[in-house]
Amino acid sequence: MARIVYCHPAKTKYGLHLYTDLDFWDARKILRDVALVKRNFGDSPPGDEFPSQVVREDASPRVHALIKRRLLKAIPAPPRHVVVRSLLIDGFYEFDPWRYFPRRWSSSLIEHFLSYRLPVDHGVLNSPYNTYRLEWHGNTVRVVPEKRPQKHDPVIQTRRQARRHLLVPTCF
């Protein structure tokens, strides 16, 4: 369940302006046909905790309820730009999974979910020479990059794979 913080009406020019803890790419995918999703580079609320802002010119109650319903159903993950920054600076990224995921989830389900939500197409985590692994340290999950034993060249067999390989969100 994603968290929502509403912008003060005096600080916005939009009819609906809110911040969410969903990653920018996830929020954009969820709300693509309803509202405009922007990045939050500000400090109120902090962009590392609430990386996305959702804006819409008109704020009809029906559209507002639709946006809120979609956001409350979504499950957030650590923001991709925070993961990449931590990997570049510290060499690993460690976080508490219970801050993002429901308590009823098993560790294997969390690992499966993270395999789709981590920025695995980014060169820091996945390149011909690098890959990553997830480690559990007590109640925290650590993402650790590691060198591949030999160069890995992916085999692209379909147009869809080729398009996905080209359109990688490498900037955050």
Side-chain angles (χ1 to χ4, degrees):
M1 185 166 113
R3 295 181 296 164
I4 298 172
V5 174
Y6 291 94
C7 183
H8 192 277
K11 294 184 178 181
T12 185
K13 61 182 178 180
Y14 299 103
L16 173 70
H17 192 163
L18 56 93
Y19 299 93
T20 181
D21 63 345
L22 276 177
D23 187 61
F24 170 75
W25 297 101
D26 300 330
R28 198 174 136 183
K29 189 174 186 179
I30 291 170
L31 300 172
R32 68 176 158 248
D33 58 339
V34 180
L36 179 66
V37 178
K38 297 180 174 184
R39 296 174 195 266
N40 177 21
F41 294 113
D43 292 326
S44 177
D48 288 350
E49 192 173 347
F50 293 94
S52 303
Q53 51 183 323
V54 178
V55 296
R56 185 158 169 110
E57 291 291 332
D58 60 333
S60 67
R62 185 187 65 79
V63 172
H64 186 268
L66 177 66
I67 291 171
K68 188 174 180 182
R69 183 173 56 243
R70 286 188 186 182
L71 288 177
L72 291 179
K73 281 202 254 180
I75 296 175
R80 289 172 173 91
H81 72 279
V82 174
V83 174
V84 171
R85 183 184 335 126
S86 180
L87 287 171
L88 289 173
I89 294 173
D90 300 331
F92 65 92
Y93 177 69
E94 191 171 75
F95 69 98
D96 181 17
W98 310 126
R99 184 173 168 214
Y100 297 102
F101 308 119
R103 293 245 180 226
R104 66 181 183 274
W105 281 20
S106 65
S107 60
S108 62
L109 184 59
I110 291 173
E111 290 174 8
H112 176 75
F113 188 81
L114 284 175
S115 69
Y116 290 101
R117 284 290 184 87
L118 286 176
V120 294
D121 292 330
H122 194 277
V124 173
L125 283 181
N126 193 6
S127 70
Y129 301 101
N130 296 324
T131 186
Y132 72 96
R133 71 177 184 278
L134 297 175
E135 297 177 347
W136 285 84
H137 290 272
N139 288 333
T140 61
V141 176
R142 181 180 279 195
V143 181
V144 181
E146 63 181 15
K147 295 284 185 194
R148 292 183 192 261
Q150 61 185 9
K151 183 180 177 185
H152 170 73
D153 289 321
V155 178
I156 299 173
Q157 298 173 338
T158 64
R159 264 182 207 237
R160 187 176 189 183
Q161 290 174 342
R163 187 178 40 213
R164 185 169 179 232
H165 190 71
L166 288 176
L167 301 174
V168 176
T170 58
C171 64
F172 297 98

